[in-house]
């Protein structure tokens, strides 16, 4: 994150452009390793699209004057990320990941969420993910889809922290992991 900020600060420099591309390369390598570690689940690689493409897209945004093409790349990355996430939430091909159900229960348990409801909640979330995928390609709905994607992305990130991070001696390690 700090390295990325440094590269953005140096936005007029070739170092900035190639540094951000290099960061995307590292994140792509990590995504490939997670893909291999998942047993070659295509949804895993697709779900990580936004993570590995964001620094490269930022590099292009800092250098390019072609905003429409850049927006199309961002919409594609968002759509692919939500497609992979939706496949998992719907249980498509691989079944619903147990850690998805655990996160739902841990982060929404205080609202009365019951274990029996987590599967249905995830199916609803998966349907919403698929609607985001569609919205990214329909000009009339792109802004609404992007707004929902940003809010849902924040909430799912917060759910990971709420579910797995506990105060204690390893708090910072847990926080950096999730």
């Amino acid at each position: 994150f700090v390295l990325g900020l440094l590269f953005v600060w140096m936005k007029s420099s070739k170092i900035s452009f190639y540094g951000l591309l290099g960061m995307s390369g590292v994140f792509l390598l990590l995504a490939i390793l997670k893909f291999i570690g998942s047993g070659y689940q295509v949804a895993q690689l697709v779900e990580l699209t936004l993570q590995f493409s964001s620094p490269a897209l930022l590099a292009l945004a800092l250098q390019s004057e072609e905003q429409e093409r850049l927006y199309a790349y961002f919409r594609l990355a968002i759509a692919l990320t939500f497609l992979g996430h939706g496949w998992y939430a719907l249980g498509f091909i691989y079944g619903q990941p147990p850690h998805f159900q655990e996160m739902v229960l841990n982060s929404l348990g205080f609202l009365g969420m019951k274990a029996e409801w987590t599967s249905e909640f995830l199916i609803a979330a998966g349907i919403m993910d698929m609607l985001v995928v569609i919205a990214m390609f329909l000009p009339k709905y792109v802004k609404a889809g992007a707004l929902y994607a940003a809010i849902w992305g924040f909430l799912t990130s917060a759910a990971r922290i709420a579910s797995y991070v506990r105060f204690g001696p390893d708090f910072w390690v847990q926080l950096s992991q999730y």
Side-chain angles (χ1 to χ4, degrees), residues 78-79 82 127-137 144-146 148-149:
I78 291 167
F82 274 78
I127 291 168
M128 293 301 294
D129 286 350
M130 294 304 147
L131 291 175
V132 168
V133 173
I134 294 166
M136 289 300 105
F137 299 104
Y148 173 82

Side-chain angles (χ1 to χ4, degrees), residues 23-74:
M23 288 177 71
S24 266
V26 170
F27 292 149
L28 178 59
L29 177 63
L30 288 172
I32 291 168
L33 292 173
K34 286 182 177 183
F35 167 66
I36 293 168
S38 73
Y40 301 95
Q41 294 181 4
V42 174
Q44 179 69 52
L45 193 57
V46 172
E47 183 183 37
L48 296 172
T49 301
L50 206 49
Q51 288 182 20
F52 67 75
S53 67
S54 290
L57 292 172
L58 179 58
L60 291 173
L62 293 172
Q63 300 287 323
S64 176
E65 299 295 323
E66 293 185 54
Q67 288 188 348
E68 283 306 312
R69 180 180 284 178
L70 189 60
Y71 289 150
Y73 292 150
F74 271 109

Side-chain angles (χ1 to χ4, degrees), residues 41-47 80-97 100 122 125-127 129-130 133:
Q41 294 181 4
V42 174
Q44 179 69 52
L45 193 57
V46 172
E47 183 183 37
L80 287 172
T81 297
F82 274 78
L83 180 66
H85 194 264
W87 280 345
Y88 281 125
L90 290 168
F92 182 69
I93 303 174
Y94 312 107
Q96 288 178 337
F100 274 30
L122 286 169
I127 291 168
D129 286 350
M130 294 304 147
V133 173

Side-chain angles (χ1 to χ4, degrees), residues 101-154:
Q101 294 176 347
E102 181 183 20
M103 278 192 303
V104 169
L105 193 57
N106 288 347
S107 59
L108 296 177
F110 74 96
L111 293 175
M113 175 63 76
K114 301 202 182 308
E116 312 75 73
W117 302 343
T118 58
S119 182
E120 288 81 11
F121 178 87
L122 286 169
I123 289 170
I127 291 168
M128 293 301 294
D129 286 350
M130 294 304 147
L131 291 175
V132 168
V133 173
I134 294 166
M136 289 300 105
F137 299 104
L138 299 174
K140 186 176 179 179
Y141 299 104
V142 168
K143 287 183 182 177
L147 177 62
Y148 173 82
I151 292 168
W152 187 241
F154 173 80

